[in-house]
Amino acid sequence: MSSVCASAQAAAQCDPPRAARTLPQPALCLQRAKIAPTAADGGAAALFAQAKSQLEAGRLDEAERALDCAEAVIGNPGDAGLRYELVRRRGILDFRREAVPQALTRFECAAALSAELGDRAATARDLSNVGAALRRLGDFRGALRSLTASLDIQRARGEVSGAVLNNLADVYRELGETEPAMRYYRDALAAYRAKAEPVEAAHVLETMAEVALDTGDARQASAWLQEALAAYRADGNRVYELRVHDGLTRVALSQGDIAQAQRWSAAALALADAWKLPLPPALQLQIARTAQLSGNTAVAAARLREALAAVPEGDPMRVALLEALAAAQESAGEAAAANATLREAHAKAIALARAQHDRQLDWLRVRFESAEQQRTIAALESENRLRSAQFQQRTLMLWFAGAAGLAAVLGVWLLLQRRRQRERLREEARRVRHEEELARYRREADALAEDRSLLQALLDSRDDALCLLDAEGQVLAVNRAGRLRLGAGDEEGLVGQPLAGFFDEAGGHALASALERMEDSAAQRLSLATRQGRPLIAALEPWSGGDGLVVLALQPSDAATTAGAPIAATAATDATDATDATGAEPGVVVGAASVAAADGAADAAMRDGFRRSLVELMLATLEAWERATGTGRLELAEKSRIWRVNIDDGRLRARALERYLAVSKLPRNPRWRDVLRSAYYVLSRCDGLPADSRAALQQRVDAVLAYTRRDAMV
């Protein structure tokens, strides 16, 4: 611990000059407080007791007025013991007002005064206060050093207090070392119980319950909280009793026991109403969480707004309350309000972090100024013996210049750190969004690959020569009979190749034309010839799973008259037989798609809604692309490689894409997966897309996905 106070001038250095604070008249103070000035201390002890009671009740301004009266009664310089008590109590008042650097200075002064007075018990208490203040400022090493020194003094005297043990446990808890923290908490609990201080023991039980709940031991946390509640009830302390309900409600929610959480919430509300007590913000948060999990989103939002109105600016609880309110607004479907609330919570969190930095900077400034003051005094005293007054003044100016330069450098460093932190936050947000989009792509690709692998297994079980093609004529799946009929052989890979390459030139053109018509056609039949000259009859039908895929059945030209039922229906029946034969669930792939197609035909209104949503998504995708890149649909088709670009009358056109820009032009068998892929492409590649456009496009995607899941089209 650094010695801020000189022995004879300690109290004067802990308090501001008299010109900066006007003290009241002692007689008027005693008259107002109804204290007789007949005591040996002139009534200062009674004023200290009055300040303590005001401080415990949370009336900080009244406590300060009582301390001002005590200082006026003590006088200057006054009794050393009373002056020490005044400095210590002003430090406690500063600590409660979150002026931690100023409180630390007073606590260190009080420790120096108690050491000068030879009061070892008071010194141990003051060192414990110094450790608590250092912990709040983030100096855990200094906090442990002061608290350990306090504990050593108390152990040497044979009187260990629970306060210093509890402060040590708090330091280890913030360092993330749960085991030593719990050991000191148990020691503090035993110390309080040994001295018959049930209320202080209950405070320790509450803290131990928080640690247990953070480590996942909800049952132990509940037991400790119940014990603390019983102690507060026995003492008649309704404020602390109300605070315990916060922890009990949180424990019940962590266990998933909504009914128990509702009972604790109701008990807390009844207690607050009976004793006219304000609800703590933490308890308001747990009551709101209980209401939301019970389905009462509106009640939860109202409760959170009420709590926010009562919580002052700068309180860390505002961040947790705003995040809970955003979750309630999202559950109620208020996406815009939820986003705004989340932004406000983020801004409050940044403000709290900045305030913590400012407190640490203020602490460093006070330390620096105090050290500089001591160095300046020492330098001036030395210069008085050696050099003239002019040289002394120059030395003092140099010290001040150095302090100003250091402060300027520190300010620039903090500014750069804050700027880098904001940039890291933005970069992290972009990275998270990108990873989410990549994860969605992988899920979509895995689902599609699974469907096609199942279809490949189904085709391999058929004796017919079958192929599955995409809208551009690329082979997605083909069975062994199909490979043989195309003359490709068992070893030659067909998947991913254009099927037109296995027919002669006329057959390739005919197949390409037929595929262009398939989006609006139920079935087609045409005569083709392989490259080896073998004549075939090709029957094309849309795949019953949708998405613009085409099933192609190949038969020799002499067997064309034996073709029976439509290919899609035959595939569905065989799929059911194949899965029943292996014991799997019938109709997993093609059978399920046939049932979905039948349901879709029965519900024309739902189909119309799906088609409108598909067109709206394509229009929104193009609008977002043009807004982010400044280019048109041709660039989207070329860069995404999802849509074919054609040459019509000497100019480039994306005919397939343009059919998805109006419901009247939409194909009968739309390629909805390609529309979704286009939207995902724009969302992942256009980093400059505004947030409102990104949200609107995502809503369109969700609407299309909802239809595909509902109609079993995926």
Side-chain angles (χ1 to χ4, degrees):
M1 180 194 69
S2 63
S3 178
V4 178
C5 311
S7 60
Q9 302 171 341
Q13 292 179 1
C14 290
D15 288 336
R18 291 291 177 268
R21 187 174 66 245
T22 303
L23 297 177
Q25 293 295 325
L28 184 60
C29 282
L30 295 174
Q31 181 182 359
R32 235 185 345 246
K34 298 180 180 179
I35 299 174
T38 56
D41 57 6
L47 289 170
F48 286 147
Q50 188 179 89
K52 180 181 179 181
S53 63
Q54 297 287 1
L55 192 65
E56 290 177 349
R59 295 187 285 270
L60 305 184
D61 293 335
E62 289 83 351
E64 184 177 24
R65 283 193 287 270
L67 291 177
D68 287 342
C69 284
E71 183 176 2
V73 169
I74 294 170
N76 189 22
D79 180 78
L82 295 177
R83 180 64 61 178
Y84 155 75
E85 190 65 16
L86 176 65
V87 171
R88 186 180 73 85
R89 292 187 180 276
R90 285 198 183 277
I92 296 174
L93 178 62
D94 287 338
F95 191 87
R96 289 289 302 274
R97 282 177 165 168
E98 295 298 323
V100 183
Q102 292 79 359
L104 176 60
T105 300
R106 295 186 189 277
F107 288 152
E108 289 178 331
C109 288
L113 288 171
S114 61
E116 182 183 356
L117 292 171
D119 190 344
R120 298 281 288 170
T123 301
R125 179 182 58 197
D126 296 329
L127 287 174
S128 178
N129 291 338
V130 169
L134 289 173
R135 177 180 66 85
R136 290 291 302 276
L137 290 170
D139 186 2
F140 297 110
R141 178 181 297 179
L144 286 175
R145 185 166 56 248
S146 296
L147 291 170
T148 304
S150 174
L151 185 60
D152 290 341
I153 294 174
Q154 291 183 354
R155 283 174 175 168
R157 299 182 69 253
E159 296 179 0
V160 178
S161 71
V164 66
L165 294 170
N166 192 71
N167 287 338
L168 275 168
D170 289 340
V171 174
Y172 280 109
R173 180 187 177 190
E174 290 197 16
L175 289 173
E177 299 181 21
T178 305
E179 183 176 351
M182 290 300 293
R183 184 171 68 251
Y184 280 112
Y185 280 136
R186 290 189 175 92
D187 292 344
L189 181 64
Y192 284 132
R193 286 175 172 171
K195 294 183 179 180
E197 297 179 1
V199 174
E200 298 297 332
H203 291 338
V204 178
L205 286 172
E206 284 186 79
T207 309
M208 292 171 64
E210 291 179 6
V211 176
L213 188 58
D214 291 340
T215 56
D217 192 356
R219 293 184 58 186
Q220 183 61 69
S222 178
W224 281 334
L225 287 172
Q226 294 276 9
E227 188 176 352
L229 181 62
Y232 292 148
R233 284 175 176 171
D235 188 69
N237 197 320
R238 309 303 176 188
V239 175
Y240 290 154
E241 181 182 347
L242 187 64
R243 188 178 65 187
V244 176
H245 283 74
D246 164 31
L248 290 169
T249 306
R250 181 185 169 199
V251 169
L253 291 176
S254 69
Q255 293 175 321
D257 192 350
I258 306 300
Q260 183 62 44
Q262 290 174 337
R263 286 191 290 271
W264 285 121
S265 299
L269 292 173
L271 180 64
D273 184 67
W275 294 92
K276 308 302 180 185
L277 298 174
L279 290 173
L283 180 58
Q284 292 268 50
L285 176 61
Q286 301 305 325
I287 294 175
R289 289 182 58 204
T290 303
Q292 184 172 355
L293 292 174
S294 303
N296 299 326
T297 304
V299 175
R303 178 71 62 184
L304 291 169
R305 291 189 180 95
E306 178 183 352
L308 284 168
V311 174
E313 290 292 334
D315 194 320
M317 275 302 301
R318 290 192 68 86
V319 177
L321 291 170
L322 286 170
E323 290 175 349
L325 178 59
Q329 290 171 336
E330 183 180 7
S331 299
E334 301 173 5
N339 287 334
T341 305
L342 278 177
R343 285 194 296 270
E344 183 180 357
H346 178 67
K348 297 295 182 186
I350 292 177
L352 287 174
R354 289 176 178 171
Q356 176 66 19
H357 281 296
D358 292 341
R359 279 198 300 270
Q360 292 178 348
L361 180 60
D362 193 17
W363 171 51
L364 292 174
R365 181 185 59 79
V366 171
R367 294 297 232 179
F368 178 79
E369 290 177 355
S370 299
E372 288 301 305
Q373 184 180 7
Q374 294 301 315
R375 293 190 188 99
T376 303
I377 292 172
L380 287 173
E381 291 175 350
S382 176
E383 294 299 327
N384 282 332
R385 294 189 302 266
L386 300 175
R387 298 184 181 181
S388 65
Q390 184 179 5
F391 185 75
Q392 295 173 7
Q393 185 177 7
R394 186 165 55 250
T395 303
L396 182 60
M397 293 300 296
L398 288 175
W399 278 110
F400 284 148
L406 182 59
V409 170
L410 187 58
V412 172
W413 179 80
L414 284 176
L415 181 62
L416 291 176
Q417 288 296 108
R418 289 178 180 175
R419 184 175 300 173
R420 290 172 184 169
Q421 183 183 16
R422 289 194 294 268
E423 183 60 31
R424 284 196 296 270
L425 289 174
R426 286 194 292 268
E427 184 62 30
E428 182 66 16
R430 285 195 294 268
R431 186 187 64 79
V432 169
R433 287 196 301 269
H434 184 62
E435 289 180 355
E436 289 176 351
E437 290 164 355
L438 290 180
R440 179 174 295 180
Y441 283 136
R442 286 193 291 270
R443 289 195 299 269
E444 292 292 333
D446 292 344
L448 183 59
E450 181 181 357
D451 291 344
R452 291 177 182 175
S453 62
L454 291 174
L455 184 58
Q456 179 66 56
L458 172 63
L459 295 182
D460 287 340
S461 67
R462 293 286 306 274
D463 294 332
D464 309 32
L466 298 176
C467 301
L468 179 67
L469 310 177
D470 64 9
E472 306 297 339
Q474 301 286 332
V475 178
L476 301 179
V478 60
N479 62 0
R480 181 176 181 276
R483 290 194 298 270
L484 294 175
R485 193 145 294 170
L486 290 171
D490 291 339
E491 301 299 328
E492 184 175 353
L494 290 177
V495 176
Q497 298 188 25
L499 186 63
F502 292 89
F503 297 101
D504 58 15
E505 184 176 357
H509 289 305
L511 179 61
S513 299
L515 287 172
E516 289 184 359
R517 296 190 298 270
M518 280 306 297
E519 286 186 324
D520 297 303
S521 175
Q524 295 186 65
R525 299 174 68 86
L526 63 154
S527 298
L528 303 172
T530 65
R531 288 182 297 185
Q532 293 80 13
R534 185 182 304 122
L536 296 174
I537 297 298
L540 292 86
E541 289 191 3
W543 180 40
S544 56
D547 195 22
L549 302 184
V550 177
V551 177
L552 174 69
L554 297 172
Q555 298 176 349
S557 59
D558 54 355
T561 56
T562 65
I567 293 173
T570 305
T573 304
D574 291 344
T576 304
D577 295 342
T579 51
D580 288 342
T582 59
E585 182 182 354
V588 173
V589 182
V590 183
S594 299
V595 174
D599 292 341
D603 194 352
M606 187 176 296
R607 291 287 183 176
D608 290 342
F610 171 69
R611 293 170 67 85
R612 284 194 302 272
S613 297
L614 205 60
V615 171
E616 291 171 356
L617 175 58
M618 193 71 248
L619 290 171
T621 299
L622 279 178
E623 181 183 356
W625 171 264
E626 293 171 355
R627 186 174 181 182
T629 65
T631 59
R633 63 189 69 169
L634 287 177
E635 287 77 5
L636 174 61
E638 289 178 350
K639 292 184 178 180
S640 66
R641 298 184 179 275
I642 299 173
W643 307 95
R644 176 180 292 179
V645 177
N646 310 97
I647 300 177
D648 289 348
D649 298 331
R651 63 189 184 95
L652 297 176
R653 289 186 59 189
R655 291 201 308 265
L657 184 148
E658 291 171 358
R659 297 194 64 186
Y660 290 81
L661 302 180
V663 177
S664 60
K665 297 180 180 180
L666 192 67
R668 177 182 177 184
N669 305 309
R671 295 156 54 183
W672 55 268
R673 286 182 194 258
D674 289 342
V675 177
L676 284 173
R677 287 174 58 205
S678 301
Y680 286 136
Y681 180 83
V682 171
L683 286 171
S684 63
R685 298 302 179 88
C686 298
D687 293 335
L689 192 63
D692 54 348
S693 299
R694 185 177 294 273
L697 184 56
Q698 186 61 54
Q699 289 179 356
R700 300 292 187 190
V701 170
D702 294 339
V704 172
L705 288 176
Y707 274 109
T708 60
R709 296 190 190 100
R710 191 184 313 163
D711 296 341
M713 299 183 73
V714 178

